[in-house]
Amino acid sequence: MILITGGAGFIGSALVWALNEKGHHTIIVSDHLGLGDKWKNLAKRRIDYVVPKDQLFNWLDEAGHPLFEAVFHLGACSSTTERDADYLMNNNVLFTKKLWDYCAQRDIPFLYASSAATYGAEESTFLDEHERIPELRPINKYGWSKQLFDAWALKQKITPPFWYGFKYFNVYGPQEYHKGPQASVVYHAFPQVRDKSSLRLFKSHRPDIEHGEQRRDFVYVKDVVKVMLHFWKEHRRIPSGLYNLGTGQARTFADLGRAVFAALDKKPKFEWIEMPSSLQNQYQYFTEADLNKLRSVAGYQEPFYSLEDGVNDYVRHYLNQGDPYL
């Protein structure tokens, strides 16, 4: 049996898909489904049932603490613009600590979502070496909440038997449809390109960077879940700790836009718009995962989707279909 918190969310439901593809069906999902269409992320999946997030620990007590093969903790507030710091502390730090303790007491492997937002305004190197973690200075409350837990985890003497925190870079792909403004640029670009044959992107507010030349490490969600399953499968030989999860290659937003145009067989046409003032002081102009630890320590050698191939798969096989779900 496997427990996935946030299992109806973007990466969580993609992980459920990947597990189903490999024949794993005894899965407990914990999440807050709400009144929207988030449930559709699981509609085609084989799982046991969904436990509401705020009832999880009561359910675990009532169920007699089932023996899990692994806990994937992907449930969190992932909004980089969230303003309520207390909400972030409760969701991203305190809840995660409680689940960590649960796994430590029962010898359950614990794999959780960290974030590249912890790197803040860093632009020279994105190293996931543990000695550097206390030096990181996130530039938004979300990144700070993830940083707090990462730093706390590294100081613990009582831990799950194996634990991994994944510093996700810019993830895009199927199952993000419920995320609204927090969904990827690919998702938001698709209807613009399809319907208007043009794409609006933020202007650069730095004189050394042209409009559209802001660069990010865009990683396809199918690669993300593939990496996580590698860690679970090989956990007895991979040292516990924090690991970057990106492609290791930064690409421009203009590149991403051109990939969406190409997937829809259209000629690129851009419109540059002002970035909201609320974002200007917490905007990352460059991110690129250092993958040395993922490759050499964790032994993950599989290639990642190129930006063009990932966007093409997402647009043609999901966004442009009547049923866009995995």
Side-chain angles (χ1 to χ4, degrees):
M1 186 179 294
I2 298 164
L3 172 63
I4 304 177
T5 71
F10 175 25
I11 298 175
S13 62
L15 178 61
V16 175
W17 165 78
L19 285 165
N20 280 180
E21 290 290 294
K22 291 185 175 296
H24 299 284
H25 305 127
T26 309
I27 300 169
I28 304 297
V29 165
S30 179
D31 211 325
H32 174 70
L33 296 179
L35 301 177
D37 288 338
K38 197 174 179 181
W39 67 275
K40 291 183 178 180
N41 283 346
L42 296 173
K44 294 193 286 186
R45 305 276 57 88
R46 291 181 61 182
I47 61 173
D48 281 4
Y49 41 83
V50 179
V51 180
K53 179 228 173 189
D54 58 0
Q55 298 178 30
L56 176 60
F57 288 101
N58 287 336
W59 177 85
L60 291 171
D61 288 337
E62 294 171 0
H65 300 290
L67 184 61
F68 294 111
E69 297 176 68
V71 169
F72 291 88
H73 178 43
L74 306 178
C77 171
S78 59
S79 172
T80 58
T81 58
E82 175 59 51
R83 299 174 61 187
D84 189 338
D86 293 323
Y87 177 74
L88 287 165
M89 289 303 100
N90 283 323
N91 279 272
N92 294 2
V93 181
L94 298 180
F95 189 91
T96 309
K97 286 183 177 181
K98 193 171 182 180
L99 203 52
W100 169 288
D101 290 339
Y102 182 89
C103 291
Q105 293 164 9
R106 292 165 179 81
D107 291 326
I108 302 171
F110 182 63
L111 303 88
Y112 75 92
S114 180
S115 172
T118 56
Y119 288 113
E122 178 69 63
E123 290 191 1
S124 59
T125 180
F126 292 83
L127 287 173
D128 47 6
E129 299 300 332
H130 290 172
E131 60 270 17
R132 291 194 68 242
I133 301 305
E135 303 170 3
L136 300 181
R137 296 293 179 265
I139 55 178
N140 57 51
K141 295 175 186 177
Y142 162 73
W144 179 60
S145 71
K146 290 296 187 178
Q147 166 72 359
L148 281 177
F149 185 81
D150 288 349
W152 178 87
L154 291 173
K155 294 186 291 186
Q156 300 312 298
K157 298 189 182 304
I158 299 176
T159 71
F162 305 95
W163 67 270
Y164 308 107
F166 300 107
K167 289 184 177 289
Y168 301 130
F169 280 68
N170 282 67
V171 187
Y172 67 95
Q175 313 293 94
E176 63 173 329
Y177 317 123
H178 63 284
K179 291 176 66 67
Q182 295 297 317
S184 75
V185 175
V186 181
Y187 174 75
H188 289 293
F190 168 72
Q192 295 181 53
V193 174
R194 178 195 60 194
D195 301 337
K196 299 180 180 179
S197 297
S198 66
L199 175 60
R200 292 153 57 95
L201 292 175
F202 287 144
K203 292 180 180 179
S204 169
H205 286 265
R206 283 178 41 171
D208 59 325
I209 297 176
E210 297 293 328
H211 299 329
E213 294 303 303
Q214 305 97 315
R215 292 194 292 158
R216 298 283 182 85
D217 191 331
F218 300 104
V219 57
Y220 197 30
V221 72
K222 290 184 179 181
D223 279 326
V224 168
V225 297
K226 192 174 179 181
V227 170
M228 288 194 291
L229 291 183
H230 168 80
F231 274 78
W232 177 44
K233 178 182 177 182
E234 303 293 337
H235 66 263
R236 296 189 181 279
R237 69 172 190 81
I238 302 176
S240 294
L242 302 170
Y243 291 83
N244 283 337
L245 212 173
T247 66
Q249 183 178 15
R251 299 292 300 276
T252 70
F253 279 93
D255 287 337
L256 182 147
R258 283 188 283 267
V260 176
F261 280 104
L264 289 170
D265 300 315
K266 292 178 179 287
K267 183 178 179 180
K269 179 183 178 182
F270 296 101
E271 179 184 349
W272 309 112
I273 62 173
E274 292 293 335
M275 184 185 301
S277 57
S278 60
L279 289 180
Q280 291 181 25
N281 292 329
Q282 53 179 294
Y283 186 83
Q284 291 173 296
Y285 277 81
F286 174 79
T287 66
E288 184 175 80
D290 184 299
L291 296 188
N292 180 62
K293 193 173 171 185
L294 179 68
R295 298 299 197 190
S296 63
V297 177
Y300 187 79
Q301 302 300 329
E302 296 295 320
F304 286 85
Y305 276 86
S306 68
L307 180 62
E308 288 75 13
D309 289 343
V311 169
N312 185 71
D313 183 63
Y314 184 22
V315 170
R316 290 184 183 272
H317 299 142
Y318 301 97
L319 291 176
N320 211 26
Q321 299 297 319
D323 180 358
Y325 293 90
L326 288 169

